[in-house]
Amino acid sequence: MVRPVYFGSVMRRAAEAVAGASAVGSVLVIRDIAGRVCFAIDRARADCRGLEEELDSRSRELGAYAGKPPVVCRDDFFEPDQIFKSPAILEFAVPETSLSVRVLERQVTGQDWLNPNHAAPPRVPRIVFYGLKGGVGRSTALAMLAYLLARNGRRVLVIDLDLESPGLSGLLLPRARRAEFGVTDWLIEDGVGQSGPVLQDIVASSPLSDNLRQQIRIAAAMGSDTGAYLDKLSRVYADVAGKPNPDHFGDRIKRLVHALEEAESPDAVLIDSRAGMHDLAAVSVTSVASTALLFATGSPPGWQGYRSLFAHWQSRPSVARMVRERLKMVSALFPESNQAARAHTFLEQSYSLFLDTLYDEDRSGSIDTGLFTFGMDDSDAPHYPLRIKWNSRFQEFDPLQIPLGLFDDDEIRGTFGQFSDGVEQLIQAGGSD
């Protein structure tokens, strides 16, 4: 019995087919929503008979993933330049080989993991808090960083983009202090062309900063009226019709963040991202962040998840080169016992992750190579973690108790000091001062 061709081997076979064909530079691989592959030749049919036949023959090696038709030529498209000159075309590098191929993906979700922001760096630092799993203290760390930054004189804007689990608002805003609208309201009203009025009442000041040098301003996921939240949530991810192209969800989020920055003039923007591989997390990490803090506890499932995500970028080198410079690992819930050994193990695992996927391989033996690579003990490297210590007092706690004197400075610094100092350095390195 012949073994079927499965999804995981399709791109390798497609790249081999293109590499073996003549006139490689004119061939584009188009992969549809089901994963089927079509070879598109940027030539008129009359000029590519031999190449067409060659690729048609090789397409049989793709089994059920061969496109229908398997090969198309330039004159098969109504507007061929929209295909062959699409900005969405990426190089796909086949792992552990020298093979690569130009690919145009048609996906239902996940596009934004491959759509890094090409614009100029934001005017103020945007720190995104991201984790593959919940329960790693991400929102608590954000709340404490906001407090420490505001206490040090920085005006902080917090944006809750964890729309499906909006706990940050409860941490920093009592219901009585919430603005009328939230991020979900803006997305809904933006879809019908009336987001302007919503923007005027989407941000509120947290009582956590009432007696600090600067304010903590919160754009919550939901506003004061929570009655129709699920109805709104089921609609927020839709693209909005526009001319000549629809306004995609990721672009809408970027517009919202920019509009909030213009309205609030913050010194730093802290963004709570959705956990996991969701499209909203993709937008936050690749398109919005100036720095993405990647939370991990050192568990094997966590490293496995990050390795899968990094490998996804690794196979698209142009994307990897842009994304990797904005990443920084965070060792969350760092345990109280056996700390030296556990710190070393975390560092080794983090370094191995980056070295195998996102760092350049240095074959020159030269110290100054210009490559994106670091030594394991380089504290400025993306893999070298900021650390948040485990403290049972900060598990499921209410940050609004801090002004009541229930947490002293030594306790806060002992748990979050190394983390907040590290983020301050990242902010200063970004030139926000």
Side-chain angles (χ1 to χ4, degrees), residues 392-403:
S392 59
R393 293 252 290 152
F394 288 101
Q395 305 308 305
E396 299 184 5
F397 90 115
D398 179 1
L400 301 183
Q401 295 176 343
I402 292 176

Side-chain angles (χ1 to χ4, degrees), residues 69-210:
V71 184
V72 293
C73 298
R74 183 176 179 85
D75 40 7
D76 290 321
F77 297 101
F78 181 70
E79 294 187 18
D81 282 349
Q82 289 193 3
I83 302 297
F84 293 105
K85 296 183 179 180
S86 170
I89 293 173
L90 292 172
E91 176 193 4
F92 182 94
V94 180
E96 301 177 358
T97 76
S98 60
L99 295 175
S100 65
V101 66
R102 296 167 63 244
V103 179
L104 182 59
E105 296 273 15
R106 305 302 194 191
Q107 300 169 283
V108 177
T109 64
Q111 294 95 325
D112 285 297
W113 286 116
L114 301 177
N115 186 29
N117 190 2
H118 294 265
R123 184 180 59 84
V124 296
R126 298 172 181 168
I127 312 297
V128 167
F129 287 62
Y130 172 72
L132 281 167
K133 297 176 67 65
V136 295
R138 190 186 73 239
S139 296
T140 298
L142 190 155
M144 295 307 302
L145 179 63
Y147 168 77
L148 292 170
L149 291 175
R151 192 179 69 173
N152 291 341
R154 294 186 186 273
R155 180 177 171 88
V156 180
L157 171 64
V158 175
I159 305 175
D160 189 355
L161 292 186
D162 192 357
L163 304 184
E164 297 186 27
S165 183
L168 184 63
S169 307
L171 277 176
L172 294 174
L173 275 179
R175 186 161 184 168
R177 294 279 289 263
R178 286 186 194 171
E180 180 179 359
F181 301 113
V183 170
T184 51
D185 296 289
W186 187 93
L187 289 165
I188 289 294
E189 301 303 334
D190 182 63
V192 295
Q194 54 183 23
S195 59
V198 174
L199 192 68
Q200 298 173 22
D201 196 5
I202 195 176
V203 182
S205 293
S206 171
L208 182 59
S209 62
D210 281 352

Side-chain angles (χ1 to χ4, degrees), residues 122-125 154 267 424-433:
R123 184 180 59 84
V124 296
R154 294 186 186 273
D267 299 308
E424 279 276 12
Q425 291 177 10
L426 292 171
I427 291 174
Q428 293 170 8
S432 62
D433 288 342

